[in-house]
């Protein structure tokens, strides 16, 4: 979904200007490649392990899913909150 805004040009006519789509704005990468690889592997194992359990498995699946998301996106919200950037070391 893109957002449209209207501006008045130098002649006083209204013109539409297309902004950058919000869906394409991604948080910056702040996790290094090696850390992403390890996080993805651990998250995947947790997700597969969680498939065999019932209630405790939901917690394990949630943690595994968060780790897989961190590995794929390269962004860690905890690092962002602490002002850390290990993606450009």
């Amino acid at each position: 979904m893109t957002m449209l805004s209207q501006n008045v040009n130098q002649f006083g006519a209204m013109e539409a200007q297309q902004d950058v789509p919000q869906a394409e704005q991604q948080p910056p990468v702040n996790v290094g490649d090696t850390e992403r690889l390890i996080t993805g592997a651990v998250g995947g194992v947790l997700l597969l392990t969680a498939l065999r359990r019932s209630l405790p498995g939901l917690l394990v699946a949630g943690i595994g899913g968060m780790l897989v998301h961190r590995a794929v996106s390269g962004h860690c919200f905890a690092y962002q909150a602490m002002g850390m950037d290990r993606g450009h070391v």
Side-chain angles (χ1 to χ4, degrees):
M1 171 184 266
T2 61
M3 294 177 48
L4 293 177
S5 59
Q6 292 188 352
N7 294 331
V8 178
N9 64 17
Q10 63 187 5
F11 303 108
M14 296 294 286
E15 60 183 27
Q17 178 180 353
Q18 189 172 11
D19 296 331
V20 176
Q22 288 182 349
E24 292 181 15
Q25 296 175 356
Q26 297 177 350
V29 172
N30 63 359
V31 178
D33 291 338
T34 304
E35 192 173 352
R36 289 174 74 176
L37 182 65
I38 293 169
T39 301
V42 171
V45 168
L46 288 176
L47 281 173
L48 290 175
T49 303
L51 293 176
R52 298 182 185 160
R53 294 189 164 72
S54 57
L55 187 59
L58 292 175
L59 179 62
V60 174
I63 293 169
M66 288 179 2
L67 291 174
V68 169
H69 175 268
R70 180 180 187 258
V72 171
S73 69
H75 182 77
C76 177
F77 291 103
Y79 280 3
Q80 181 182 1
M82 293 184 286
M84 294 175 61
D85 184 359
R86 297 191 51 166
H88 302 95
V89 176

